[in-house]
Structure formats: C-alpha cells, structure tokens
Amino acid sequence: MRTRKAVRNVIYGICADDDAAASVVEELRALDVDARRIVVQSSEPLEIRDLAVPHGSGAMPWVAALGGLIGAVAGFTLAAGTQQLWPLSTGAMPIVTLRTNLIITYEMTLLGVIVATVLCFLVTARLPRWRMPLDDPEISEGAVLVGVLSPPQDRAHDIERALREGGGAARIVTCGPEDWG
Amino acid sequence: MPHRWGMVVDLDRCTGCEACVVACRAENNVPTVGEAEAARGRAIHWIRVERYVDGEFPDVRVKFLPVFCQHCDAAPCEPVCPTYASYHTADGLNAQVYNRCIGTRYCANACPYTVRFFNFFNPVWEKPLHLQLNPDVSVREVGVMEKCTFCVQRIKAAEIAAKAEDRPLRDGEVVPACAQACPSRALVFGDLNDPDSEASRLAGSHRATHLLGELGTQPKVFYLQREGGHDRQDREGDQ
Amino acid sequence: MTGKTAKEISNDLLRPVLDTSWRFYAAAVLLGALVVAGLAAWGHQMSAGIGVAGINRPVFWGFYITNFVFWIGVSHAGTLISAILRLTHAPWRRPVTRAAEAITVFALMIGAMFPLIHLGRPWLAFWLFPYPSERRIWPNVRSPLVWDFFAINTYLVGSTLFLLLPLIPDLALLRDRARGWRRHVYRLCALGWAGTPHQWRRLETAMHIMAIVIIPVAVSVHTIVSFDFAMAPVPMWHSTIFGPYFVAGAIFSGIAALIVAMAVLRRALRLEAYLQLLHFESLGKLLLLMSLVWTYFVFAERLTTWYGNEPAEVAVLFAVERGPYAGLFWAMVFCNFVLPFVMLSIKRLRTITGTVVASLAVLVGMWLERFLIIVPSLTRKYLPYSWGTYQPTLVEITITAATFAAMGLLFVLFSKAFPIISIWELKEGDRRAPVVAPGLVDQSMVMADRHANP
Amino acid sequence: MDRRNFLKTSTVGGAAAALSSCGHPEAPLVRFLPDEELVPGVATWKPSVCPGCRAGCGVLVRVMEGDAEVIRNGQHGVVRMGVAKKLEGNPEHPISQGRLCPRGQAAIQLTYHPDRLGHPLERVGARGSGEYKPLDWDAAISTLVERLRALDDRRAHATLAALTRPLRGVRRELIARFLQAFGAGPPSVFELFSDDVLRRANERSFGRRQLPTFDLSRARYVISFGADFLGTWNSPVAQSAAYGEMRQGRPGIRGTFVQVEPRMSQTGANADRWVPVRPGTEGVLALGLAHVMLQRGLASASSGAAVGALIDGWDAGLPAYAPEAVERETGVAARRIARLASELAADRPAVAIIGGAPLAHTNGFFNAIAVNALNAVLDSVGRPGGMRFMPEARITLPEVRSETSTASSAAREQSFSLLRDRMRGVTGPGVEVLLLYDANPVFAAPRAWRIREALAQVPFIVSFGSFLDDTSTFADLILPDHSFLESWMDDAPESGSDRAVVSVAAPAMRPLHDTRATADVLLEIARQLGGRVSTALPWHSYEDALRAAVQSVDAGASADAKTSADVWTLVQQQGGWWTETLESSSSEMKRAAGASIRRATPRFDGDETEYPFHFLPYPSQAFLDGSLAHLPWMQELPDVLSTAMWGTWVEINPRTAERLGVSQGDLVEVASSQGRLEAPALVSPGIAPDVVAMPVGQGHRTFTRYASGRGANPVALLAPLVEPESGTLAWAATRVRVARKGRGRLTLFAGGLRERPGGVTR
C-alpha cells in the first residue's frame, strides 16, 4: 500500500486468525507451490506451528553448549594464564589458585552460552536484515499474513484464488517483481 | 636464602612514649590531616600505641601495644586487592604499590589489624614544611592506601650499601625509624631467617606471641608479653 | 485474560509510547534534576577527593557499597523471576516479565556504577579490566572484586539480551505504528523482524536457553557479591551462609521492587486492565515466601553467632541488636518480616495497596539490611582500639537519592520508548488463556473461571 | 624491566614527584647558585642539640639537598642547599644514646613551621593585636641600641631586664654577662613545670642543687612519687633507656616498678603497682614506708642518718608515720604500705623518685625531703642501681678583665616573682626595657600574677622568639632567632648520665629566613653599645664565644684530645663534649645540713565544699608546658592514654562522671576561685574520684595557625599559691568544681578502651 511495498514481488493475503491462515497454507500446498516460497508473518507466535517450512530446532542447544565450552576454556586460560605470566605471591596462596579460578571459569562459561545462543538466534533467524520485510499494518492488529514470494507469473491467479479460499485472506496484495530476500 | 624481615616488640620495655609514632611520620612523609579530618577518623599513623585498660579505680592496669603492619605471611590484605597493589615481596614484606592502588579500600577492610590508612584527600604540606619530606619515600596522593613498609627505603639502602661492599647484610644494619627512635629499645628489627639475629633470638622467647594469632595470618611481628606485675589476688590482698 | 482484542491490546500498550503526556515530561524533568544533582555530587567527589564521603578508618565502605549490594540485589527482580516464571509457564507472568527484566538491567547498571563511585581513584578503574597494556600488569583474579567484574558483566550482558530478544517483535510492531523520525529508529531497532513462524520458533528456543542459563548467572552474581564480604576476615562477614543468604535477600528485594514498579506503571500508564490484582497477589505470595526465607537466614546467622560466642563477632552482633544500630536493626526486622508477614498472609490485607505497602517496606528494610551487614562489622573489628563510627555525608546521600531517581528516570524513558508490557506475549497468552473480565478481585474466582471456560 | 622490578622501584622511588606534587603554580623564582656541593640523594649526618626540653639530648640531623625558597639580598628566590630531613638521637651522646622522644622527633618542625617569623618586626598595632611591620636588621638593632643608650644616658641601667625560657650553657652566660656588664640584674627564667623545689631539696639533703640521675638499669625496685619520668619529666630519653634495661635488660632479673600518684600518667601506666594517693601526701607515704622499714629492722637508721636526720622524729623511728596514721592521711591501705615496704627492702637495689605534682604543692619541699630520706634509708644514694648526681660540666665563658666585672659572671638568676613585681612597679628598680626570649608567661602563669598588666607597663619589650605567641605579641620589636638547626647550639644537661656532658653543635643547615642567632645579636648590640659592655663581651660571634668556652675545658679530661684545639674539633665532630671515665659522684656529696623539717600538710586554694575536686594540670605528652603546641605533628599525636588529638580534655573518674551526669565527650565547666573554662570530658578509670586533671598545652590565644584558639588553658584556673621554699608556683594546689554544660567535641584516635575478652595477643 505504501511505496516501499511496491518493490516486492509477492502476492499475499491477510487472514483474520491462525485458523484462516492454516487453511490458506493448506490451499497453497495443494497448489503445489514451493514450500520455501510460502511466507507467513504474524505479530505473535502462532498456535499452529507448521505453517511454514519445517526447521530442525536441534542446533541451538548444541551451539549454546559449544559457546559454553569456549567460554570455559577462555575463562580458565585468562585466570590461570594471568597468574602464571605474572607470578605474584599474595596471602600465602598458590600462584594458580584453582578454587578461585573456578569462579571466573564459571562466569565465562555462562557468558559463552548466552552469547552463543544469541548469535545462533540472530544467524538462524536471519537477523538483522536491513531491508524492509512485508509489514502490512494489519499484522500488528493481529492478522496473519500468508503469501507467496516471487510467484510464477503464470500462476498468480491460482495463488490469489487459493489465498481467498476456505475463509482465508480477506484482502489480497500484489507487489512488484523485485526480490526482497 | 632471602631475608625474612620481622620485628619483635617487647611489651615489657614499651613505655607508651610514642617516639616511634612521630619518628615514623617524619621518616615516611606521613601527612597530618588536621582537626576536622582527624575527628572523622582519618588521621594517619602507620604505627600507633594502643592502650588497653583493665580494672576499675583504684585497681587499674594498662597495657601498651604498639601496632603497625604485621607483614603477615598469610596476609588477608593481599589476595583481595584487584590490582596487585598489595602483594608479597621475596623478602617477606607486605608491599603496597601506591602507583597500582585504585582505592577500593578492600585491603583495609580485610586487614584484621586495621593498620592500613587511606588518603581521603590529597595531602597538604604548608610551605616550607615540605622541605622536610624524605626524598626516599614517595608522597601518596588522594585515593591511595598506605601503611607501614618496615621502612623499605632503609632496607634497600642497606642492601645497596652491602652490595657495594660485596658483603652480606649485618644484623642491626637495617633499623626502621620507629625502632631507631625507641628510647627503651622495645622494638627490635631483623632477619627472621638468620638464626643469629637478635630479632630471631627474641622471637624464640617464651614470652613471644602474635597479635590475633588465632586468625592464622602468620604475622612477622612478635610481641613479647609483659612479665610479673600483680594478679587480681594480689590486689585484693592489699585492700 | 484481559478480555481485549489484539487491536485493543496493541492500542492500549502502545499508547504510552506513541502519545506523550505532560506527566512524562514532569517525571523526566524531576527525576533528571535529581540525577544531575547526583552527577554533580560525584563530580565534586572526584575533584575534591573521596573524603567528601563519610567513610573513614575503619569504616572504609559505607553508603556506596550498601547501594551497590542493594541495587545488585534488586536486579534479581527481574531476570531471575522472569526466567523462573517462563520456565514454569506461569500464565500470569506475561504482563510482568518485561518490567522485571527492565528493572534488572537498570538496577545492574546503577549497581555496577557504585564500585566506580566508591573508588579512591576512579579514573584508574579500567585497571580492573584484563587488557594487554604497556605496564603489563593484569588484574588479580583472586580478588572477589575481579570476580564481581566478571559476574556482573556476564549478568549485565545476559539480562540485557534477555530483555532485548523478546522486545524485537514489539519493536516491529512499533515500526509499523510510529511516525516520523521515530519510525526510522524503531525500524533499525527491529532488526528487520518479520514474524515468520521460523523466527518465532527461534526466538522461543533462544529465550528458553537464556532462561535456563540466566538463573545460575543470577545466583552466582549475588553469591559473588556476598563473597566480597565473606572472603575478608571481618567479624560477622566471614560467614559460610552469606552466599544463599544474599541470593535470598536479592530475590526478596527484587520482587518488592517489581511490585512497586508495576504499581507505578499501572497507575501512571493506566494499565489497570493488564496489571491486575492477580499479578500483585501472585507476586505478593512470592514476596511472603521470600520474607520467610530471609527471616530464616537472619535467624540462622544470628543464632549461630550468638551461640558461638566468639568475642569479636559477638561485639558486632550486640552492636547491631542492642547497640548503636539497634534502631535500624529492629526497623529492618519490622520492614522485612513483621509488616510483610501481616500484610501478605492476611487475605483481607493482601490488596494491591497492601502488597505495595509491604513491598515499599521491604525495599527500605533490605536497604537497611545491606547497610547493617556492611557498616557495623567495620565499626567493630578485632582490635577495640580501632573501633569507629560512620556518618554519611550530604554527598553520599545525594548520590544515593540520585540513583533511585536514575532508576525512575530509566524506567520512565524505557516505558516511553518501548511497550513496558510484552505485547506479543500478552496476545499469545490471551489466546491461550480463558477470557477473564477485568476487575476481578479474587484469585479463586479466576481459578473457577478457568475451569468454567477450558 | 619486568613487573617485579617495576613494583620494587615504584615503592621506593618517586622523590621528585613527592616534592613537586605538593606545590602550587607560582611565579618563577630566581634560582641562586648553590652554596654547597651536595651529592644528590646522599645524606650527610650533622650533630645538633635538641631544644625541646631541658634534657639536652644530642641529636643527629639528616641533611640532604633540597630547593628552599629564601630571600637573598632582598631578592626572593630558590637555592639548592642542604636541608634537614630528619632528627635521630646521637648514638655517641651520653644522654640520648641514639634515641629520641616524640617531641625531639618533631622538633624539626620548629625550623620549617609555616608561621615562623622570618625577619625583624616592629609593632604597628596595639599591643597584643599581633600587627607588625617588617624591618631590616640594621634598623632593628639600632632601635634597640638607641633604647639601651637612652637607659645608659639616664643611668637607668638597672631597668633593663631579661626573661628567658630555661637556658643553660654559653647562651645563658652570654645573656647574663650582657645584663651584668650593662649594669642590670641577672636574667629571670620562667618555667611553669619548674623543678626548683627538688633542686633546693637536693641541695639541702645532698649538697647538690641539681636534679638527680637514676641508675634504673641496675635497680631491682623503683618507686616513683608522681614523676612522669618516662614521659615528660627531667630526662625522659635517658630514663626510658634505663627503664627498658631495668625491665628486660638482665637475664633472669626483672625490676619492679611502683608509681604513686592520684592520676595515672603515661609513666604510671607502666607500673606493676599503681598506687593512687591523696594529692600532696606523697611525702607522708614515703616516710610511712621508711617507718615500716626502720620499725621492722629492714633497714638501719644509720644508713640514711645524715639525710634522714633532716626529718623531724627520725631518730625516734618516725613514730608519726605509722601505717595506720599514713593510711588515714594518704588513703593508701596500711597493709599495702607494709607490703610495699617489705618489697622495697627485699628487692635491692631500690630507688625512689619524686617529680611533678608532689613538688607542686605548698608542701613540695617536705615531699622532696621525705623521698630523699626514703632513698637514704634504701641506701640508694650514690650507689649502683640508686640515685646519683651527674658531674657538672665545667665549661664557662672565659673571664674578661674589665673595670666592673668581678669573678663570677654566672650570677644566679633573678626570681620571676621579683621581675613581676619590678615590671608592675611594686619594687624597684622598674623595668623599662625587657628582653624576652621564648618565655611565655602570659600563657603559662596564673592570671592572678597579672602578667598581661605587668607587661603593659613595660615601655619597651624586645622579643627574640621565632613565633608570635601569647607573650611575644606584647613585644614592640621582634628580632627572630635562628632555628636550632640553623644556629650554633650548646647546652649543659644536669641529669641523665653519670658523665659530665656538654652538648655543642654547629649549624646543620643554612638559615631559611632572614633571621639571626640571638647570641650574635646580643654580641652585635654589645659592640654597638661599646664601653664596658663590649669589653665584657669581646667575641665576634656566638661561635667565637662557644669556641672560647669549649677550649677552656681541661683537655686532659677528654681522653682523645690533647690540646684545646683538639677539643674544639672533637666537640664539633661528636656533637659535644663528655668525660669518658665514669665518675663516682657520691664522694662529692656534702653532708646534709640545716634545721630539721617538720611535716607539712598541703594547703589548697578553694573551699572544699564549694570546690570539691583537686585540680591537677599536668605537662602533656605532646606539648610539655605548651611550648610545642604549634607543631602540627604534636597536635596530631594521639595522647597515649586518652588518644585525644588537636584538643584538650578534662579527665574525670567514671563514678564522679556518673554522679555529675557527665558522659564521655560532654562539655564540662571547670571553675576555681580564679576563673572558669570549658572543655570536653574524658572519662578515665585512672584518676581518683576527687581529682580532675587536665593536660597543659592548649588554649593559646595566639600561637601560629595550628594552636591559636584551640582548646582551653588549665593554667588560667590556677591559684597563685607558691611553694614557700623555692617560690615556684604550686600548680597542683587548686580546688575546682565541675558541672556539665552540654555536648562537647572530643577528637579521639581510639575507639575502645578495653581489650575484648581473651585479649588480643595470643
């Protein structure tokens, strides 16, 4: 509707709720539209989870664990390395004090987990991306957007129909040919 | 073998005259803070003579106790310092590196002897009082912790002198300002690693104790307890 | 739960962000003025010397470290509570979590300032940081202050991310609603969030991991803060109970801070429909639980000290219970135990007002608790000759007041810039939970309602 | 440089930063060429003499290079010169033996005091206003010379008078000879805590008008009556050194020490037994002890016959001093007296000391004679481990033949009371020109003596002091002296060693200010006056006079020196002259003579019902009689017992305080028949319930930025009672009343008074 949107080559419909969106997605799949081209957007997590491309969710915990491991090694190396490089005697303590180094190791481990998790999230969620996504204002009103990216020109009508069917999209928007990925 | 500097304080000799207190101030450029600051608990005395009073009139007994940095082997002040301003030298001193101190005052809290002093403001020497400043000792600026150093500048000077003559340090060659001033010779400084030093000999006395020894700080200052005197029984016998 | 449509929710919750009332300016100016006063006091302290504060020998730590511990404690409001509630899927958490997380971040930022404010030479504070420097001296990793540095940084990074991640979808919402230059800002902040199921799934996974991780971080942070004391051989500091005792106290004060913040938001931003009695009640019950836990720790600590009868420790114990600090001590007991216990265990008194009153008392009481842990011990160390006293100065009081103002100001600005209630989580929860008419006063009715409308 | 070395050096170094960091940016100064060749960073040690008290300790001055701001030829500039850095005891010196007391350590601040007078001053404002204008030395000296010429013209020579602090040696002689040659009377000395009573008593008992020296290091039992001999009395450094040896210097032997006094002093705090006694009854207790010993045959009367016989009833075994009677009078239990007596008799050698307050009662002379008698009974006179008298040092200014001068130039001093009366015109001759040298009677004399008024009647007062104090603000002309480090110094200690000692020292550093040594100024004035005065004082400088005096010493007495020139060299090297051989002084003692002395009961000023408390001022550990109150180090020195700094206080027994409703730090009013003052209360268990005590030293109206208007002056309360034998002030004989006034301020260094249970040393 606004100028920015005109640059996208997309056909989408606005559905009132998840159920409508789900049925639209069903229709699109029935049309044999490439699953990777189906786009769903909502302003809240949808109850029905498999509206779009299924993704393996197992990677993130492992990445987090790896981050923790890196953090642990970094923390311990920092602590013990500092102590060994500048071996100063204090309070009759050993030069490398394992007990106290555990604390820094612990903190660095958890910091590693946190940072790895967030990085993993950003990477896998493809954030940040600086070009505008589809942002129909009705999404923020609670509507669900279902669309097809770069729809084959010949099937535009089918897709529009599919969007409307089954109590689906109340409104259809077609945008320009440019890829927005 | 490195030195292990220590001090022996004979409480039976100490008279509470406080010559040590002023001598230390003169030697180590310890600033005066003035009445208002002193009233707020900011007076700096690297060595002080604590006095504890026992009994009520007329059976009053007083104990004088010169207290200064105990140069603990297991010093609680050292590990808590985040910047290594407080650390242990090879010859057993609790060093305080003024340049490294950022003023967390953690060491002062950790010190059970409360012998660490803080510069709450920049010290002031009204001219020409500054001419008296000892050039061998740095002047500390605001925000820096300071304390007794066992007159490390005198130790270093004696070591340099001995090295120049290519000989080991002799016992009694290093005398901190407090011990040098002490009229009754209550303070004896020396190398505890040297079994023949006077300090070692006195530290082996049956009267030798540590201050707050139960805390396990392993101080290098020994206190020789007072002998004799009257016990309570004796005092009651007089009445 | 709110009985409102998604549109209404968005309107209600975005209104404070998009419309600016005179109240916002009034609050910002007033709080800002106090913050400026605090900064001026700090500047004065830097130029004149730390001596303008009331600290002395032997009380080398005073208001600043009290504030440090207090604010780090308050920071546990947040992330810890929000993480626990998330992990336990407590349904009533949704309007609460963002405020709680914001408290955490701000309280940490303020708390982390105090170790700098209290330094004798704050311009050299960067020496705490392990960086390769010309002088080739690194921090002493044995020092609890360096542990603090690591723990607080971890917590600050973690809780900031924990606050920001679920904010992204709401920023996307704002991006759509805002006008003018703000739109551009929000657009940048939203990072191009689209709201695809894929992103939602990732966000939820990340939040789940974060919630799991942030709990041990929070626990360790306040444990390490307690180690600042427990590592020093100071009577009544050198205690094994300090770790859990401090963590319990931190959660305690954190909940209280959250309740107070929610009450203020509820009134100021007219969020009565979202922050309901249910929330205050639930948090109030948590507060009551923590009050009892805290009391248990205080009792355990003081009983063992008294029974042990170690002279140096008993000197501190009695200085607090019947000496110069007795007034503060019994005020603390009243604020942290008696009053919350009465207000929160009697159902009739457990109203929103009642909960808020109890929470305010707890905040006062917990500040006193921090003070009473730190100062009396220092006034009575081992050698009675060096016993001392402590009187705060105007500089310390100003800076302390300024940090409370800073907390308020940050909160005002935050709630101005971002929706203080997580809109998407609320909507999500609303759809999953039964609709409850606003204005309900009884939890049991909520429960009954829930059964009636599965 | 690795980290460890870095740390090492940074603790030690940093001198340049030290000196530059404390200055403020100022206009650039002219840099004068250095006077001396100094090796940077290398210290030289020069002997000097401590001016702090009468002990006359020899000190060593650590001198290093420094940049001093000075005025040269009227130009302000900087010169690199040797400046004193620290004082240590002179190890060669028989009195200090390498040690120094706190006041001696702080004496260096006398030189560097920021309020030191740096040039001659002439009064412009009213007397006491402290308004002066600077003057150059020529003008200043000629002003004084004209005044003296005017006296000469009017044949009013006798109206010249001098009032000095206690001086000995060549400086005292120069002043005395100047006065004598001019035709005036001998100089007066004012000293609050004077020991003249004891000197006179010793003259009576032993034929020596001198303070005794105690051989504590060999004593096994020491009983002291009020003498703060480890703190402020007589020769504290020498006495403390001997005390340390008495306690722990002999394997297997530890001397016992008993202190008798109503208020616990620093010395009393060290006692094994502290015996509080009613003020003024110390002599009775001493004789009570003697009685028991004689009665039980623990000592023979003959051993002390000569000295003891002075006491009325001696031959009869002192029947009036039976323990019960003594108990009634002194408040010390009879059983305790008996016990002390048997201990004294058993642990020989034993010695008794008297000093301080017991001498400052109206019966001070009796107390002193009584303790002398006790020493005689203990057979401690002239014996190892007992008391003795230091051989007198025999250096005096050589006689100069002149028409008026007779043999004795060392005329005895004129009593202060006579000078007072002369100033006030009560007796003739009046005083028209008064030379004032560091004596501060306006501060340290009772109000009833009306010093202020007396000074106001003197037409012309010249002060030689280095500071504006309560008295010197009355001066019309101020000719400031060098500090002791900038000047030649000499002193002749009268106690503290068993050798004859003269302390002499050359200047340790060049003068910082435009000052002149008073002795030099006197010689210059004598030159300008001409006539018999210049004939009597033919020396060009103090140094000349000193050399003449020292070279008159019998060279044979010094082991190393063969000629008088050698003596002068030796004296400069070691900081004085002292005999090498130990002299037995007992043989020189004359037999006691004179009428027998009856028991004297002390008289007190003030009615007991109206003024229920004995008032006991005492020399403070930091300031003595107040003459060191201007030193900031001394102000910030915590008094060892009270731990008070920068102020004054009133010591009150806890029971008394409770009765009066006074708690620690409360402001109390102390009032005597002479006046009143307010000071904070210090509740102390070490003081008798009917005694209140105050340290002397604070309460200066004018005495530099550090001491002016600080605290209260207890001397202001003192009644003008004197000890009749010596005429010295009986400063312990005033009664006072005490009342609470409100909250006061007491700056204490210490928090707690009591050890925690179990003690602190283990």
Side-chain angles (χ1 to χ4, degrees), chain D residues 287-344:
Chain D
L287 293 178
L289 295 169
H291 169 91
V292 174
M293 281 188 270
L294 294 173
Q295 195 80 15
R296 295 199 188 161
L298 299 171
S300 74
S302 64
S303 65
V307 177
L310 286 170
I311 308 284
D312 191 35
W314 178 266
D315 295 331
L318 298 169
Y321 299 96
E324 289 71 26
V326 173
E327 173 172 353
R328 273 193 303 281
E329 199 157 335
T330 63
V332 181
R335 282 178 60 188
R336 189 163 204 185
I337 295 168
R339 200 187 165 92
L340 283 173
S342 54
E343 286 179 0
L344 269 170

Side-chain angles (χ1 to χ4, degrees), chain B residues 64-94:
Chain B
F64 288 130
L65 193 71
V67 178
F68 44 97
C69 176
Q70 306 284 301
H71 292 272
C72 311
D73 279 343
C77 57
E78 289 173 358
V80 299
C81 177
T83 56
Y84 280 124
S86 179
Y87 82 112
H88 220 69
T89 67
D91 45 2
L93 300 177
N94 276 144

Side-chain angles (χ1 to χ4, degrees), chain C residues 341-360:
Chain C
F341 189 78
V342 171
M343 300 299 283
L344 300 173
S345 61
I346 299 173
K347 187 172 282 180
R348 204 154 40 79
L349 296 176
R350 202 167 55 218
T351 58
I352 292 181
T353 315
T355 317
V356 170
V357 167
S359 300
L360 284 170

Side-chain angles (χ1 to χ4, degrees), chain A residues 53-109:
Chain A
V53 190
H55 282 93
S57 63
M60 201 184 284
W62 291 110
V63 172
L66 182 68
L69 189 67
I70 293 169
V73 171
F76 187 82
T77 311
L78 181 72
T82 297
Q83 289 161 331
Q84 291 236 285
L85 279 173
W86 317 115
L88 280 180
S89 160
T90 72
M93 282 188 179
I95 293 299
V96 177
T97 46
L98 288 175
R99 287 162 209 257
T100 63
N101 292 359
L102 269 183
I103 290 171
I104 286 173
T105 309
Y106 175 88
E107 294 299 334
M108 291 295 282
T109 307

Side-chain angles (χ1 to χ4, degrees), chain D residues 382-400:
Chain D
R383 297 294 178 88
M387 59 167 283
R388 56 178 63 194
F389 290 95
M390 190 168 153
E392 274 180 285
R394 286 170 296 239
I395 66 160
T396 50
L397 281 175
E399 289 308 320
V400 175

Side-chain angles (χ1 to χ4, degrees), chain C residues 39 118 145 208 297 347 444:
Chain C
L39 288 173
H118 109 123
L145 295 182
H208 192 71
F297 274 117
K347 187 172 282 180
S444 63

